[in-house]
Amino acid sequence: MVDDARTITQEQWRHAELIWEYHRMHHKARPRDVAIALGCNDIGVAMYTAELYHAGLFPALVFTGGNSPSTAQVFPRGEAVHFRERALELGVPDSVILVEPQASNTGQNITFSRSLLAENGIVPTTVLLVCMSYMERRAFATTRKLWPDVEPLCASASLSLGDYVKENGDAGLVIDMMVGDLQRVMEYPKRGFAIDQDVPSAVRDAYDSLVAAEFDSRLIQS
């Protein structure tokens, strides 16, 4: 696989696929009290949220997300605002949508969405987290830590890593982002941001190998 800057070897691609599958929780989507769609640089999350709404999986939803350095040019008016507009285009009624336009990280996505729902008289016991595939595990762990009263399920479009790269481009950047998310899965429990989760040794080895190969632009610095 080749992107603008790097040639990705077959071994690196296998490592990336292993991490991709680890990030996915493989939950079976089923009816929930509410959905929370996490803002990001992928409008496909809004599109999949609309699909799940039309499948009857939830009666109300929150689009959450402001801007970040990686989304400001793509969604200049904020992730949640643009996601709502796409959902409306796809037939989701405006009456079921709440917009949380300030969150700048996953913890804020969950905390601010919880407050917004409460302000609107919605106190769910079950939540569907709709996000990019490689954000599922971190979204789940964050919700379990910050909102222990709800039962979260994760949902993302059913794509292989190869198909996701075809749709979103730049394989190297996608791998960087997956590596960064895995670092957060491992690091954030120590900081009180998420619950601890088992990371198999093969996944850790894949992470170490990709970091050593400088797929590291999305790592947090200690």
Side-chain angles (χ1 to χ4, degrees), residues 122-141:
I122 302 172
V123 183
T125 60
T126 59
V127 173
L128 187 65
L129 303 170
V130 190
C131 57
M132 296 184 294
S133 295
Y134 62 82
M135 283 186 64
E136 282 193 17
R137 187 169 292 275
R138 182 158 62 92
F140 176 83

Side-chain angles (χ1 to χ4, degrees), residues 99-116:
V99 173
E100 186 294 296
Q102 301 299 325
S104 60
N105 58 58
T106 305
Q108 290 180 354
N109 286 142
I110 301 306
T111 301
F112 294 175
S113 294
R114 179 183 185 179
S115 296
L116 179 60

Side-chain angles (χ1 to χ4, degrees), residues 21-94:
E21 287 303 317
Y22 174 73
H23 278 311
R24 299 183 65 207
M25 299 296 293
H26 299 284
H27 290 161
K28 182 178 180 180
R30 57 184 186 271
R32 306 279 87 182
D33 294 334
V34 67
I36 298 175
L38 306 183
C40 59
N41 61 359
D42 182 3
I43 196 65
V45 172
M47 297 165 65
Y48 191 56
T49 302
E51 181 180 330
L52 295 173
Y53 172 78
H54 290 304
L57 293 189
F58 47 85
L61 72 100
V62 179
F63 286 118
T64 171
N67 265 329
S68 70
S70 64
T71 65
Q73 290 187 337
V74 182
F75 304 126
R77 287 173 290 110
E79 299 155 4
V81 171
H82 285 266
F83 280 25
R84 168 186 169 272
E85 291 172 352
R86 179 57 61 89
L88 292 176
E89 293 171 356
L90 295 171
V92 178
D94 198 21

Side-chain angles (χ1 to χ4, degrees), residues 135-213:
M135 283 186 64
E136 282 193 17
R137 187 169 292 275
R138 182 158 62 92
F140 176 83
T142 302
T143 303
R144 287 291 306 277
K145 179 68 176 183
L146 300 180
W147 199 356
D149 296 336
V150 302
E151 177 191 348
L153 286 181
C154 296
S156 63
S158 182
L159 297 172
S160 68
L161 174 58
D163 287 340
Y164 184 83
V165 168
K166 287 177 184 177
E167 289 191 4
N168 294 276
D170 200 337
L173 178 59
V174 172
I175 295 174
D176 281 1
M177 294 175 75
M178 288 196 304
V179 168
D181 263 53
L182 180 52
Q183 181 199 35
R184 287 160 176 78
V185 167
M186 296 186 291
E187 178 66 23
Y188 277 3
K190 305 171 191 175
R191 304 187 183 194
F193 299 159
I195 64 166
D196 193 31
Q197 297 183 92
D198 178 61
V199 182
S201 58
V203 175
R204 290 183 180 270
D205 289 346
Y207 168 85
D208 290 339
S209 178
L210 290 173
V211 170

